[in-house]
Amino acid sequence: MTLAGFWKRFAAAIVDVLATGTFAGIYAALGSLFYDFGTGRSGTFFAGDAIYATVMIGFLICYLCIDWLYYAIMESSSLQATLGKLALGIIVVDLKGNRITFARASGRHFAKMISRMTAYIGYVMAAFTERKQTLHDMMAGCLIVNKEDREEN
């Protein structure tokens, strides 16, 4: 198993942010249709504010669920990778090189919050750790490896 390096993982993350961010952008644009930006009513409450707030809260909940399911389902599937990882030829495995479960993929996803709370140092750790693991990889017991190397074995 050849471990995937920091820059390969970084490029895959950009593709994934674009994939999940597209949904976020569309939903936010639709939500803005419920808000009357041209009324000049700043400082006063009107029905548009309540509708807009409700739509945006709904958006946040939907986005968080879709983001979680996107990562957890894709990484625990037979593909073992998100769209970004597939594009870069890398996959997620457990420490023994096996496919991860949905529960482990979910734990890995939610552990990313801790990697973010460290001013993203949890992500940068992949450039410096022996097994090229991020903080959330360590917490979930996962590795990111090059797919072609796994297929040869």
Side-chain angles (χ1 to χ4, degrees):
M1 272 187 317
T2 305
L3 300 167
F6 175 81
W7 290 110
K8 201 170 198 180
R9 292 180 65 158
F10 182 78
I14 290 173
V15 173
D16 288 328
V17 165
L18 292 173
T20 59
T22 299
F23 168 78
I26 291 169
Y27 198 91
L30 291 174
S32 69
L33 295 175
F34 289 98
Y35 192 78
D36 185 7
F37 290 107
T39 62
R41 295 183 191 175
S42 61
T44 60
F45 178 81
F46 67 107
D49 288 333
I51 293 169
Y52 182 74
T54 302
V55 169
M56 289 297 105
I57 290 168
F59 154 70
L60 179 61
I61 292 167
C62 276
Y63 178 74
L64 292 173
C65 289
I66 287 171
D67 190 57
W68 159 53
L69 291 172
Y70 168 75
Y71 284 95
I73 290 171
M74 294 287 290
E75 291 176 350
S76 64
S77 74
S78 60
L79 295 172
Q80 296 179 259
T82 58
L83 296 175
K85 288 178 183 72
L86 286 172
L88 276 288
I90 57 180
I91 59 172
V92 182
V93 298
D94 67 13
L95 297 178
K96 295 179 182 179
N98 300 315
R99 186 168 110 186
I100 63 172
T101 64
F102 180 79
R104 186 178 296 243
S106 294
R108 181 177 182 273
H109 175 73
F110 291 115
K112 288 177 185 178
M113 289 181 209
I114 297 169
S115 289
R116 291 181 191 119
M117 289 190 303
T118 63
Y120 289 84
I121 292 171
Y123 284 90
V124 176
M125 287 172 60
F128 302 103
T129 59
E130 183 180 337
R131 294 200 237 172
K132 300 181 182 183
Q133 290 176 290
T134 59
L135 179 59
H136 52 275
D137 289 332
M138 290 178 187
M139 293 173 70
C142 294
L143 298 170
I144 309 298
V145 299
N146 290 305
K147 185 179 179 183
E148 67 272 1
D149 294 340
R150 287 264 310 177
E151 291 173 348
E152 292 172 6
N153 294 333

